[in-house]
Amino acid sequence: MHVLLTGSSGWLGRFLAPRLRAAGHRVTGLDIAEGPDTDHIGSIADPGVVRTVFDHGVDAVIHAAALHKPDIARYPERAFIDVNVTGTLNLLAAAAAAGHDRFVFTSTTSLMINQAIRDEGGDAAVWLDENFGPLAPRNIYGVTKLAAEGLCRLYASEHGLPCVVLRTARFFPEDDDTHTHPSGENLKANEFLNRRLTAQDAAAAHLAALDRAPDIGFDTFIISAPTPFAREDVHNLKSNAMDVILGKFPDAADLYAARGWSLPTSIGRVYDAGHAERQLGFRCSTSFSDILAALREGSEMPFTHDPGYISPKE
């Protein structure tokens, strides 16, 4: 099928476009920045740009273009509304008018994190699945992504456009802009316990959603590496995460120590991706077990860490 991929020059796009082609799809890339997989330069906030791309006869949309959390320091709030909300509306309207039977939207688990969860002041880790709510995003990024999810739901119910929303956990390659310890690869490795996935798995989830969307109609899925924890662990995770981790991975402390890394002593949130496994038929292939396997073997980490990564749009 002919797939329009927005955000084709971004971090996800560089993994997703080749994977789509390998699956036999024709890909048209749309982005505001140049890139090897981008065919049209322009903003989804411009209805004329969207119309021009749709004139090429696309059959489906994977909408991964967005302003993200780090962009808050670079762009005004109005830009987030223009791109993340109006841009999504432009694409949904065009897809519905064209009679498409599938639309995949890249959302974020970030919109589930209110200020209280981020402050981690409770006595238990917060277990986050698709039923968690009410949602109260803490910044303009989360507010606009939640609004865009609502538009997807509206177009599924009122226009019959099957929409799958993927709330992806972290897969960015650069350093975290809020955490300084642990940092770098150590932090990313730890996050595979509760809040991270690889870019490759994020791309694979989008292909699964593209395939299943007509059967699903509308649904929202958290996409994250499978957590080794269970709901009954939430109090111990907050008070003594190390004991919980070592109970499941007895050699983790020694493997980490040999690398000069530290395991988390407290975990404040856990993303549960079980709904995606049950209903979408998708499970991330890389988990915390693979991190430990790489440490045992002395091989490269199964994720990308690039402190110097800069978004092409910048």
Side-chain angles (χ1 to χ4, degrees):
M1 99 186 40
H2 185 181
V3 180
L4 170 61
L5 173 61
T6 70
S8 51
S9 296
W11 180 244
L12 176 59
R14 71 177 61 183
F15 292 91
L16 188 45
R19 191 150 189 158
L20 284 165
R21 294 193 186 97
H25 300 296
R26 176 185 171 193
V27 180
T28 290
L30 172 62
D31 204 297
I32 61 170
E34 294 182 353
D37 297 300
T38 295
D39 306 284
H40 297 271
I41 305 294
S43 173
I44 57 172
D46 183 343
V49 169
V50 173
R51 283 195 299 270
T52 297
V53 176
F54 269 77
D55 284 344
H56 289 76
V58 296
D59 304 311
V61 176
I62 294 181
H63 175 28
L67 288 182
H68 297 278
K69 190 262 185 182
D71 293 317
I72 293 174
R74 298 188 283 261
Y75 293 88
E77 291 179 339
R78 170 59 61 181
F80 280 82
I81 295 171
D82 291 343
V83 175
N84 294 358
V85 182
T86 303
T88 301
L89 178 59
N90 290 339
L91 291 163
L92 287 164
H100 286 186
D101 67 349
R102 64 200 75 202
F103 188 103
V104 179
F105 175 56
T106 311
S107 190
T108 173
T109 53
S110 178
L111 62 79
M112 303 174 71
I113 308 305
N114 56 38
Q115 193 59 49
I117 294 175
R118 186 177 182 184
D119 291 343
E120 298 187 356
D123 61 358
V126 180
W127 193 267
L128 293 160
D129 63 14
E130 292 81 0
N131 294 318
F132 175 81
L135 300 177
R138 70 186 186 279
N139 55 39
I140 190 64
Y141 170 52
V143 166
T144 54
K145 293 297 267 189
L146 183 57
E149 286 190 4
L151 289 172
C152 290
R153 182 180 292 104
L154 183 69
Y155 266 74
S157 64
E158 294 196 353
H159 300 272
L161 174 62
C163 294
V164 174
V165 174
L166 302 181
R167 288 181 183 167
T168 59
R170 295 176 157 207
F171 60 89
F172 56 79
E174 65 268 37
D175 282 327
D176 190 290
D177 61 353
T178 57
H179 291 80
T180 58
H181 181 77
S183 61
E185 284 189 318
N186 188 171
L187 178 61
K188 286 183 171 64
N190 289 357
E191 288 176 339
F192 276 87
L193 287 163
N194 65 316
R195 60 183 301 198
R196 180 167 281 274
L197 72 160
T198 66
Q200 292 88 342
D201 278 334
H206 283 72
L207 265 75
L210 184 70
D211 180 59
R212 294 274 293 121
D215 296 326
I216 290 172
F218 177 83
D219 209 343
T220 301
F221 299 98
I222 291 173
I223 306 297
S224 189
T227 181
F229 307 130
R231 284 181 184 267
E232 53 265 31
D233 294 324
V234 292
H235 284 88
N236 289 333
L237 284 171
K238 189 62 189 298
S239 62
N240 195 342
M242 184 88 70
D243 279 358
V244 183
I245 296 167
L246 294 182
K248 300 175 185 297
F249 307 101
D251 63 344
D254 291 338
L255 291 169
Y256 262 54
R259 184 85 172 226
W261 285 0
S262 60
L263 287 165
T265 57
S266 178
I267 290 177
R269 73 187 78 158
V270 178
Y271 294 131
D272 179 357
H275 182 55
E277 188 169 351
R278 293 185 297 270
Q279 300 298 322
L280 187 59
F282 176 80
R283 178 184 175 93
C284 289
S285 62
T286 299
S287 68
F288 187 68
S289 294
D290 298 291
I291 307 301
L292 298 183
L295 290 173
R296 290 188 198 99
E297 298 162 6
S299 57
E300 291 185 4
M301 286 293 108
F303 59 84
T304 302
H305 174 61
D306 181 4
Y309 175 78
I310 300 175
S311 170
K313 75 178 187 302
E314 305 304 326

